[in-house]
Amino acid sequence: MILWRAGMRNVLRHPWLTVLAVLGVALGVAVVTAVDQANEAAQRAFRLAAETVAGRATHQVVGGPTGLPEELYRTIRVRLGLRGSAPVVTGHLQLSGRTFQLIGIDPFSEPPIRSFSSRFTDRSVLTDLMTRPGAVLMLASSAAERGLKRGATFPADSAGVRWQLMLAGILEPSDEVSRVALASVLVCDIATAQELLGLVGRLSRIDLVLPGGEEGAGVLDEVRSVLPPGADIAPAGARAGALDKMTRAFRLNLKALSLLALVVGMFLIYNTMTFSVVRRRRLIGMLRALGVSRREVFTMICAEALLIGIAGTIAGLAAGVLLGSELTRLVTRTINDLYFVMEVRRLPLLPAALWKGALLGVAATLAATLPAALEATGAPPRAMLSRSQVESRRRRLVPLAACCGVILMLAGCALFLTERGGIVGGFAGLFAVIVGYTLLVPAGVMFMSALLRPLLELLLGSLGRMAARGVVVSLSRTGVATAALVVAVSAGIGVGIMVGGFRLTVQNWLGNWLQADVYLTSADRGGGRYRPPLNPALVRRLLGLQGEAQVTLSRRVRIEGASGATEVFSVQVPERSFLRYPFKDGDPALAWKRFSRGEAVLVSEPYSYRHHLHPGDSVVLRTSRGERRFPVAGIIYDYGSDTGIVIMSRTGYVANFGDESVDGMSFTAGPGLSLARLLELVRDRAGEEQVTVVSNAQLRQATVEVFDRTFAITGVLRMLTMLVAFVGILSALMAMQVERARELAVLRAVGLTPGQVWGVVCGETVLIGLIAGLLSLPLGIVEALVLIYVVNLRSFGWTMQLAITPAQLVQAVVLSVTAAFLAGIYPSLRIARTSPAQALKEEE
Amino acid sequence: MAEPIVELKGIGKSFREGDRERVVFRDASLSIATGSWVFLLGRSGSGKSTLLNLVSGIDLPDVGEVRVDGAALNRLSERERTLFRRNHIGFVFQFYNLIPTLTVEENVLLPLELAGLLTPVQRRRAGELLDAVGLADRSRAFPDRLSGGEQQRVAVARALVHAPKLVLADEPTGNLDAETGRQVLDLFQRLLRPAGTTLVLVTHSSEVATLADRVLSIKDGVLVDGAGLPGARP
């Protein structure tokens, strides 16, 4: 007990060091937990929604972009006598700016499938739902939010048309999980949905509940035999799985960034614990002389670390939950921008993420403490091991550490070269390079401070020399602090260069891709990437502009297939524009003929990467006439979708999919027509329709905005990593201050003014910042190269330009020096203010 | 003659200092009788403290055997040596080496706790010892509130609290003025002599050495009886 009291009082005597250590762990844990929480919440919300909506369905019959004919349901239900089947029509609606999923069902065939349909036993609700136009059901909470009572009417927008809906009743899910999942869902009768979504006579899918085993397989074959060309049957979970896979790379990238914060946090803990041991080497020596065994010393240090770890973890988890809800918003926004519409309204507290954070926090603290605890127990039980001995022992380890670092970096590089490692291999390699590089940092610090010493001497005289020497003399602390700062700053450089390069690439790509002057689309973004078709009358009106301007029509759809969904973008494009497409592979002139006739397609770079396709290979798509092979005529750069797209001429699309609808139009002004006039003409003809008309410049601007929004979360994580490093530097400097109090008191005693002492300490700090900044440049550039050529390529299949500007690098060094300087202000002021008499009086 | 409590046989010990090797002991032997007071005189760096480290098991000889109270320390494991030291040896250092984060009383109780002897009877003994060294009223103070002499008196109480058979003192008066140094030696006289505790004490002072039953010095790596050293202070 007495021994523990000695340890605990030691912690309390240096409250700031303890607080900083706790803060370091807390920040690391908070970032990891928050990202985990956000990723998991988004993933779970999506799965829940998909599962609740799919209900007990085991299989789904799905069709092409225009869905399935209604007769198919009758065939399955009546001719095959399959009672466990229900038709579904689904799409998106806007309710005062918020997107809701509209699910149209047949109340009579529902009961075996979905649990939320229990309310249908109420006759009046059922009657309303089936007879009143626009009758829908929603959750009580959603209705209350809008102040709606049963029977109330309210407006909703679908495909640019405004409808009046009526609240026929309240959805009453049986459990909390379904309640969360149905938060953004409206349920209505199938006929209502068909009318609202413009799908009269069509179904989105047919849900089936099939028995397992041979009986099920038999039924499955029967159903398959009645399917029209273009329809297919898939297990109900497959769709959720495919969407889950789609965002996997995105989520993995976030997780890696959050782990980086934890790595920096571990440096911080390592630094704190090492210092706590180094500072107490005398005390430990005394205890050992008094008969305290190695194991007891080891246990004492580990227990102390455990307490710091637990305190930091608890604080980190609390902060992580708060940060998590903000990150969830960012993640959801990015997923909505890039992948599909999803809303995570209520964040369920996820025990898995919390446990993981807790385990990681405590384990990381203990792991970071281990070297220090081992060093303490390895020290001889003499109370006279001097600091210079500790430091010189450390310095002897520098070449060994550097060798290990080089080996680790080479191992990391080997991982980059093995294509099979995938994204995880890419990140593992990146982490190996980062950790390897940090092992080189102490050697770098020694080299650089020797290099910079003359400069400091010139500027500050012998005080400058002292500062330069101080950095090397206390390498055991400055080395770790510098390494932590190097990791954080280099991450900033790496991610900054990558994002900058990506942005530039996207801007260049937009220049090639967006060739028309004016674009028109439906204002409804309910379906995420997929917009509802434009009103055919509007399309006809706008086609009347042909002659004054060149008009093109396009349509973006998702084609479900056996191996997941494929995004098909069909466009009616003139040869001149086609030839200017950003081709990566293939000859535009050769590709044109077959493309324009609908015989061949183009695929985007990510698509070719994911499916290992080259010009001459072919893509299989399920058309309305069954599966068909389309030869790949070329590969083009495209940054609009990370899952990749297939581009087809409109002629080919209409012929193969029987869908004549249009969701986008573009206009290129003819000779003598100004852009302003063209915009006016298009807007005039669009009239009251709910469409968006934008100029080329505006569309480019909007796309870049979406891009920047996507990377907002990266910026937040980068900042947090920097914050962890800042705390690291602060704690290292505070530790040095405690350690060197006596040494500096002697300097004060021999005549250094407080200002001069402040100068020495600040000189050291700035030197650490400068060295860290300079050392982080090569690592930052390597990180950027890995992110661009390994991680991004493996995650998304994108080729990006590498653009390093000197400003970025200078900025990083300035940031590093500023962080170190700021972190040094308080400790240096404290040192300068300490009375020399007080410091000298203290034991050794 | 009483049984020897400390026996050193053919001890060899050297340290590396840069490129060269400094030999401290070369085939040194020594036998200390139980209850006797043996003082070591010698210049700084002659190996006095090394001898204490060897006798306490803190350090090991390169060759030879160290027996304390019948136990061959050089054959014990690190852990066994630590436990042996904890239970059988009391240490007094030149720089007191009190644990700064423990109160005076806790410092004295620490060896008892380590040895698992923290009983009410032993606690009383600790109280009596603090009373004996004249610091009963400072038991709740932290070491940094005490003067050097007071701190050393606490260190003496700590060294004796678990009633060790052997007390090792490394220049216990080296950091104190003459009067305070005498007080500390008085304490040794009052507390150790009646209990028949063996004391091995390192000192520079030939005046202090007058209290010894036997005076040793280290010459060319060998322990020799008698003082008469050029470096000794009167």
Coordinates of all heavy atoms in Angstrom, one line a residue, chain A residues 1-3 5-7 9-10 13 282-283 286-296 381-384 841 843-844, chain B residues 15 53 58-59 78-79 82 85-86 91 93 95 97-103 106 109-110 113-114 118 142 144 151 158:
Chain A
M1 N 0.8 -1.2 0.0 CA 0.0 0.0 0.0 C 0.9 1.3 0.0 O 0.6 2.2 -0.7 CB -0.9 0.0 1.3 CG -2.3 -0.6 1.0 SD -3.0 -0.2 -0.6 CE -3.6 1.4 -0.3
I2 N 1.9 1.2 0.9 CA 2.7 2.4 1.0 C 3.4 2.7 -0.3 O 3.5 3.8 -0.8 CB 3.8 2.2 2.1 CG1 3.0 2.1 3.5 CG2 4.8 3.3 2.2 CD1 3.9 1.9 4.7
L3 N 3.8 1.6 -1.0 CA 4.5 1.7 -2.3 C 3.6 2.3 -3.3 O 4.0 3.2 -4.1 CB 4.9 0.3 -2.7 CG 6.0 0.2 -3.8 CD1 7.3 0.9 -3.4 CD2 6.2 -1.3 -4.2
R5 N 1.1 4.2 -2.6 CA 0.9 5.6 -2.3 C 2.1 6.5 -2.9 O 1.8 7.6 -3.4 CB 0.9 5.8 -0.8 CG -0.4 6.3 -0.2 CD -0.4 6.4 1.3 NE -0.8 5.1 1.8 CZ -0.6 4.8 3.1 NH1 0.0 5.6 3.9 NH2 -1.1 3.6 3.6
A6 N 3.3 5.9 -2.8 CA 4.4 6.7 -3.4 C 4.2 6.9 -4.9 O 4.4 8.0 -5.4 CB 5.7 5.9 -3.2
G7 N 3.7 5.9 -5.6 CA 3.5 6.1 -7.0 C 2.4 7.1 -7.3 O 2.5 7.9 -8.2
R9 N 1.2 9.5 -5.4 CA 1.5 10.9 -5.0 C 2.4 11.4 -6.1 O 2.3 12.6 -6.4 CB 2.2 10.9 -3.7 CG 1.2 10.7 -2.6 CD 1.7 11.3 -1.3 NE 0.8 10.8 -0.2 CZ 1.3 10.0 0.8 NH1 2.5 9.7 0.9 NH2 0.4 9.6 1.7
N10 N 3.2 10.6 -6.7 CA 4.1 11.1 -7.8 C 3.2 11.6 -9.0 O 3.5 12.6 -9.6 CB 5.0 9.9 -8.2 CG 5.9 10.3 -9.4 OD1 6.7 11.2 -9.2 ND2 5.7 9.8 -10.5
R13 N 1.7 14.9 -7.9 CA 2.7 16.0 -7.8 C 2.9 16.7 -9.1 O 3.4 17.8 -9.2 CB 4.0 15.5 -7.2 CG 3.9 15.4 -5.8 CD 5.3 15.3 -5.2 NE 5.2 15.3 -3.7 CZ 6.2 15.4 -2.9 NH1 7.4 15.6 -3.4 NH2 6.0 15.3 -1.6
R282 N 16.1 7.7 -10.0 CA 16.7 7.8 -8.7 C 15.8 7.1 -7.7 O 16.3 6.3 -6.9 CB 17.0 9.3 -8.4 CG 18.0 9.4 -7.3 CD 18.2 10.9 -7.0 NE 18.1 11.1 -5.6 CZ 19.1 10.8 -4.8 NH1 20.3 10.4 -5.3 NH2 19.0 11.0 -3.5
L283 N 14.6 7.5 -7.8 CA 13.6 6.9 -6.8 C 13.5 5.4 -7.0 O 13.5 4.6 -6.0 CB 12.2 7.5 -7.1 CG 11.1 7.0 -6.3 CD1 11.1 7.6 -4.9 CD2 9.7 7.3 -6.9
M286 N 16.5 3.9 -5.5 CA 16.4 3.8 -4.0 C 15.5 2.6 -3.6 O 15.8 1.9 -2.7 CB 15.7 5.1 -3.5 CG 16.6 6.3 -3.4 SD 15.5 7.5 -2.7 CE 15.7 8.9 -3.7
L287 N 14.4 2.5 -4.3 CA 13.4 1.5 -3.9 C 14.1 0.1 -4.1 O 13.9 -0.8 -3.3 CB 12.1 1.6 -4.8 CG 11.2 2.8 -4.5 CD1 10.1 2.9 -5.5 CD2 10.7 2.7 -3.1
R288 N 14.8 0.0 -5.2 CA 15.5 -1.3 -5.5 C 16.5 -1.6 -4.4 O 16.6 -2.7 -4.0 CB 16.1 -1.2 -6.9 CG 15.2 -1.1 -8.0 CD 14.5 -2.4 -8.5 NE 15.5 -3.3 -9.1 CZ 15.8 -4.5 -8.7 NH1 15.3 -4.9 -7.6 NH2 16.7 -5.2 -9.4
A289 N 17.2 -0.5 -4.0 CA 18.2 -0.7 -2.9 C 17.6 -1.1 -1.6 O 18.1 -1.9 -0.8 CB 19.0 0.5 -2.7
L290 N 16.3 -0.6 -1.4 CA 15.6 -1.0 -0.2 C 15.0 -2.4 -0.2 O 14.4 -2.8 0.7 CB 14.5 0.0 0.1 CG 15.0 1.4 0.6 CD1 13.8 2.4 0.6 CD2 15.7 1.3 1.9
G291 N 15.1 -3.0 -1.4 CA 14.5 -4.4 -1.5 C 13.3 -4.5 -2.3 O 12.6 -5.5 -2.2
V292 N 12.9 -3.5 -3.0 CA 11.7 -3.6 -3.9 C 12.1 -4.4 -5.1 O 13.1 -4.1 -5.8 CB 11.1 -2.2 -4.3 CG1 10.0 -2.4 -5.3 CG2 10.7 -1.5 -3.1
S293 N 11.4 -5.5 -5.4 CA 11.9 -6.3 -6.5 C 11.5 -5.7 -7.9 O 10.7 -4.8 -8.0 CB 11.2 -7.7 -6.4 OG 9.8 -7.6 -6.7
R294 N 12.2 -6.3 -8.9 CA 11.9 -5.8 -10.3 C 10.4 -5.9 -10.6 O 9.9 -5.1 -11.3 CB 12.7 -6.7 -11.3 CG 14.1 -6.2 -11.4 CD 14.8 -7.0 -12.5 NE 16.1 -6.4 -12.6 CZ 17.2 -7.0 -13.1 NH1 17.0 -8.3 -13.5 NH2 18.3 -6.5 -13.1
R295 N 9.9 -7.1 -10.2 CA 8.5 -7.3 -10.6 C 7.6 -6.2 -10.0 O 6.6 -5.8 -10.6 CB 8.1 -8.7 -10.1 CG 6.8 -9.1 -10.8 CD 6.3 -10.5 -10.3 NE 7.2 -11.5 -10.5 CZ 7.1 -12.7 -9.9 NH1 6.1 -13.0 -9.1 NH2 8.0 -13.7 -10.2
E296 N 7.9 -5.9 -8.7 CA 7.1 -4.9 -8.0 C 7.2 -3.5 -8.7 O 6.2 -2.8 -8.9 CB 7.5 -4.8 -6.6 CG 6.9 -5.9 -5.7 CD 7.6 -6.1 -4.4 OE1 8.8 -5.8 -4.3 OE2 7.0 -6.6 -3.5
P381 N 20.0 -1.7 -9.4 CA 19.4 -1.1 -8.2 C 20.3 -0.1 -7.6 O 20.5 -0.1 -6.3 CB 19.1 -2.3 -7.4 CG 20.1 -3.3 -7.7 CD 20.4 -3.1 -9.2
R382 N 21.0 0.7 -8.3 CA 21.9 1.7 -7.7 C 21.2 3.1 -7.8 O 20.7 3.4 -8.9 CB 23.2 1.7 -8.4 CG 24.2 0.8 -7.8 CD 25.4 0.7 -8.6 NE 25.1 -0.1 -9.8 CZ 26.0 -0.3 -10.8 NH1 27.1 0.3 -10.8 NH2 25.7 -1.0 -11.8
A383 N 21.3 3.8 -6.8 CA 20.7 5.1 -6.9 C 21.5 6.1 -7.6 O 21.5 7.3 -7.3 CB 20.3 5.6 -5.5
M384 N 22.4 5.7 -8.4 CA 23.4 6.7 -9.0 C 23.4 6.6 -10.5 O 24.4 7.1 -11.1 CB 24.7 6.4 -8.4 CG 25.2 5.0 -8.5 SD 26.6 4.8 -7.3 CE 27.0 3.1 -7.6
K841 N 17.5 23.9 -4.3 CA 17.3 23.3 -3.0 C 16.9 21.8 -3.2 O 17.2 21.0 -2.4 CB 16.3 24.1 -2.2 CG 16.1 23.5 -0.7 CD 15.2 24.4 0.0 CE 14.8 23.8 1.4 NZ 13.8 22.8 1.2
E843 N 16.4 18.1 -4.1 CA 17.4 17.0 -4.2 C 17.7 16.8 -5.7 O 16.9 16.7 -6.5 CB 16.7 15.7 -3.7 CG 17.0 15.5 -2.3 CD 16.6 14.1 -1.9 OE1 15.5 13.8 -1.6 OE2 17.5 13.2 -1.9
E844 N 19.0 16.7 -5.9 CA 19.6 16.3 -7.2 C 18.7 16.6 -8.4 O 17.9 15.7 -8.7 CB 20.0 14.9 -7.2 CG 21.4 14.7 -6.6 CD 22.0 13.4 -7.0 OE1 21.4 12.4 -7.0 OE2 23.2 13.5 -7.4
Chain B
F15 N 35.4 -2.4 -13.5 CA 34.5 -1.6 -14.3 C 35.1 -1.2 -15.6 O 36.3 -0.9 -15.6 CB 33.9 -0.4 -13.6 CG 33.1 -0.8 -12.3 CD1 33.7 -0.7 -11.1 CD2 31.8 -1.1 -12.5 CE1 33.0 -1.0 -10.0 CE2 31.1 -1.5 -11.3 CZ 31.6 -1.4 -10.1
N53 N 27.9 -2.4 -2.1 CA 27.0 -2.9 -3.1 C 27.1 -4.4 -3.2 O 26.1 -5.1 -3.4 CB 27.2 -2.3 -4.5 CG 26.7 -0.8 -4.5 OD1 25.8 -0.4 -3.8 ND2 27.3 0.0 -5.4
I58 N 23.4 -5.8 -4.2 CA 23.0 -4.9 -5.3 C 23.8 -5.1 -6.5 O 23.4 -5.1 -7.7 CB 23.1 -3.4 -4.8 CG1 22.0 -3.1 -3.9 CG2 23.2 -2.4 -6.0 CD1 22.1 -1.7 -3.3
D59 N 25.1 -5.5 -6.3 CA 26.0 -5.7 -7.4 C 26.6 -7.1 -7.2 O 26.6 -7.6 -6.1 CB 27.1 -4.7 -7.4 CG 27.6 -4.4 -8.8 OD1 27.3 -5.2 -9.7 OD2 28.3 -3.4 -9.1
E78 N 18.4 -12.7 -9.1 CA 18.2 -11.3 -8.8 C 17.1 -11.1 -7.8 O 17.2 -10.3 -6.8 CB 17.9 -10.6 -10.1 CG 17.2 -9.2 -10.1 CD 18.1 -8.2 -9.4 OE1 19.3 -8.2 -9.6 OE2 17.5 -7.3 -8.6
R79 N 16.0 -11.9 -8.0 CA 14.8 -11.7 -7.1 C 15.2 -12.2 -5.7 O 14.8 -11.5 -4.7 CB 13.7 -12.5 -7.7 CG 12.4 -12.5 -6.9 CD 11.2 -13.0 -7.6 NE 10.1 -13.1 -6.6 CZ 9.4 -12.1 -6.2 NH1 9.6 -10.9 -6.6 NH2 8.5 -12.3 -5.3
T82 N 17.1 -9.6 -4.0 CA 16.3 -8.5 -3.5 C 15.6 -8.8 -2.3 O 15.5 -8.0 -1.3 CB 15.3 -8.2 -4.7 OG1 16.0 -7.9 -5.9 CG2 14.5 -6.9 -4.3
R85 N 17.9 -8.8 0.7 CA 18.2 -7.5 1.1 C 17.0 -6.9 1.9 O 17.2 -6.3 3.0 CB 18.5 -6.7 -0.2 CG 18.9 -5.3 0.1 CD 19.6 -4.7 -1.1 NE 18.7 -4.5 -2.3 CZ 18.9 -5.2 -3.4 NH1 19.8 -6.0 -3.6 NH2 18.0 -4.9 -4.4
R86 N 15.9 -7.1 1.4 CA 14.7 -6.6 2.0 C 14.5 -7.1 3.4 O 14.1 -6.3 4.3 CB 13.5 -7.0 1.1 CG 12.1 -6.8 1.7 CD 11.1 -7.6 0.9 NE 10.9 -7.0 -0.5 CZ 9.9 -7.4 -1.3 NH1 9.1 -8.4 -0.9 NH2 9.7 -6.9 -2.4
F91 N 19.8 -0.1 5.1 CA 20.7 0.7 4.3 C 20.6 2.2 4.8 O 19.5 2.7 5.0 CB 20.4 0.7 2.9 CG 21.5 0.2 2.0 CD1 21.4 -0.9 1.2 CD2 22.6 1.0 1.9 CE1 22.5 -1.3 0.4 CE2 23.7 0.6 1.1 CZ 23.6 -0.5 0.3
F93 N 22.1 5.9 3.4 CA 22.9 6.5 2.3 C 23.4 7.9 2.7 O 22.9 8.6 3.6 CB 22.0 6.7 1.1 CG 21.4 5.4 0.6 CD1 20.1 5.1 1.1 CD2 22.0 4.6 -0.3 CE1 19.5 3.9 0.6 CE2 21.4 3.4 -0.7 CZ 20.2 3.1 -0.3
F95 N 23.1 10.6 0.8 CA 22.1 11.6 0.5 C 20.7 11.2 0.9 O 19.7 11.4 0.3 CB 22.1 11.9 -1.0 CG 23.4 12.5 -1.5 CD1 24.3 11.8 -2.2 CD2 23.6 13.9 -1.2 CE1 25.5 12.5 -2.5 CE2 24.7 14.5 -1.6 CZ 25.7 13.8 -2.2
N97 N 18.2 9.6 0.7 CA 17.4 8.8 -0.2 C 16.1 8.4 0.4 O 15.6 7.3 0.3 CB 18.1 7.5 -0.6 CG 19.2 7.8 -1.7 OD1 19.2 8.9 -2.2 ND2 19.9 6.8 -2.0
L98 N 15.4 9.4 1.0 CA 14.0 9.1 1.5 C 13.1 9.3 0.2 O 13.4 10.0 -0.7 CB 13.7 10.2 2.5 CG 14.5 10.1 3.8 CD1 14.0 11.2 4.8 CD2 14.4 8.8 4.5
I99 N 12.0 8.5 0.3 CA 11.1 8.6 -0.9 C 10.3 9.9 -0.7 O 9.6 10.1 0.2 CB 10.1 7.4 -0.9 CG1 10.9 6.1 -0.7 CG2 9.3 7.4 -2.1 CD1 11.9 5.8 -1.7
P100 N 10.5 10.8 -1.7 CA 10.0 12.2 -1.5 C 8.5 12.2 -1.5 O 7.9 13.1 -0.9 CB 10.5 13.0 -2.7 CG 10.9 11.9 -3.7 CD 11.3 10.7 -2.9
T101 N 7.8 11.2 -2.0 CA 6.4 11.2 -2.1 C 5.7 10.5 -0.9 O 4.5 10.3 -0.8 CB 5.9 10.5 -3.4 OG1 6.6 9.3 -3.6 CG2 6.1 11.4 -4.6
L102 N 6.6 10.0 0.1 CA 6.0 9.4 1.3 C 6.3 10.2 2.5 O 7.4 10.9 2.5 CB 6.6 8.0 1.4 CG 6.3 6.9 0.4 CD1 6.9 5.6 0.7 CD2 4.8 6.8 0.2
T103 N 5.4 10.2 3.5 CA 5.7 11.0 4.7 C 6.8 10.3 5.5 O 7.2 9.2 5.2 CB 4.4 11.0 5.6 OG1 4.1 9.7 5.9 CG2 3.2 11.6 4.8
E106 N 5.6 7.0 6.7 CA 5.5 6.0 5.7 C 6.8 5.5 5.2 O 7.0 4.3 4.8 CB 4.7 6.6 4.5 CG 3.2 6.8 4.8 CD 2.5 7.7 3.8 OE1 3.2 8.4 3.0 OE2 1.2 7.7 3.8
L109 N 7.9 3.0 7.6 CA 7.1 1.7 7.5 C 7.3 0.9 6.3 O 7.0 -0.3 6.2 CB 5.6 2.1 7.6 CG 5.1 2.6 9.0 CD1 3.6 3.0 8.9 CD2 5.2 1.5 10.1
L110 N 7.9 1.6 5.2 CA 8.0 0.9 3.9 C 8.8 -0.4 4.0 O 8.2 -1.4 3.5 CB 8.7 1.9 2.9 CG 8.9 1.3 1.5 CD1 7.5 1.0 0.9 CD2 9.6 2.3 0.6
E113 N 6.5 -3.1 5.3 CA 5.5 -3.5 4.4 C 6.0 -4.4 3.3 O 5.4 -5.4 3.0 CB 4.8 -2.3 3.7 CG 3.5 -2.6 3.0 CD 3.1 -1.6 2.0 OE1 3.8 -1.4 1.0 OE2 2.0 -1.1 2.2
L114 N 7.2 -4.0 2.8 CA 7.8 -4.9 1.8 C 8.1 -6.3 2.3 O 7.9 -7.3 1.6 CB 9.2 -4.2 1.3 CG 9.0 -2.9 0.6 CD1 10.4 -2.4 0.3 CD2 8.3 -3.2 -0.7
L118 N 3.9 -5.7 8.4 CA 3.2 -4.5 8.9 C 2.1 -4.8 9.9 O 0.9 -4.8 9.6 CB 2.6 -3.7 7.7 CG 2.4 -2.2 7.9 CD1 3.6 -1.5 8.4 CD2 2.0 -1.6 6.6
F142 N 6.5 15.6 5.0 CA 7.2 15.0 3.8 C 8.7 15.4 3.9 O 9.0 16.4 4.5 CB 6.6 15.6 2.5 CG 5.3 14.9 2.2 CD1 4.1 15.4 2.5 CD2 5.3 13.7 1.5 CE1 2.9 14.8 2.2 CE2 4.2 13.0 1.2 CZ 2.9 13.6 1.5
D144 N 10.9 16.7 2.2 CA 11.5 18.0 1.7 C 11.2 19.1 2.8 O 11.7 20.2 2.6 CB 11.0 18.4 0.3 CG 9.4 18.5 0.3 OD1 8.8 18.2 1.3 OD2 8.9 18.8 -0.8
Q151 N 16.5 14.4 8.1 CA 16.2 13.4 7.1 C 17.1 12.2 7.3 O 16.7 11.1 7.2 CB 16.6 14.0 5.7 CG 15.5 15.0 5.2 CD 15.7 15.3 3.7 OE1 15.9 14.4 2.9 NE2 15.7 16.6 3.4
R158 N 14.5 4.1 9.4 CA 14.0 3.3 8.3 C 14.9 2.0 8.2 O 14.5 0.9 8.0 CB 14.0 4.0 7.0 CG 13.5 3.2 5.8 CD 13.4 4.0 4.5 NE 14.8 4.3 4.0 CZ 15.0 5.0 2.9 NH1 14.0 5.4 2.2 NH2 16.2 5.2 2.5

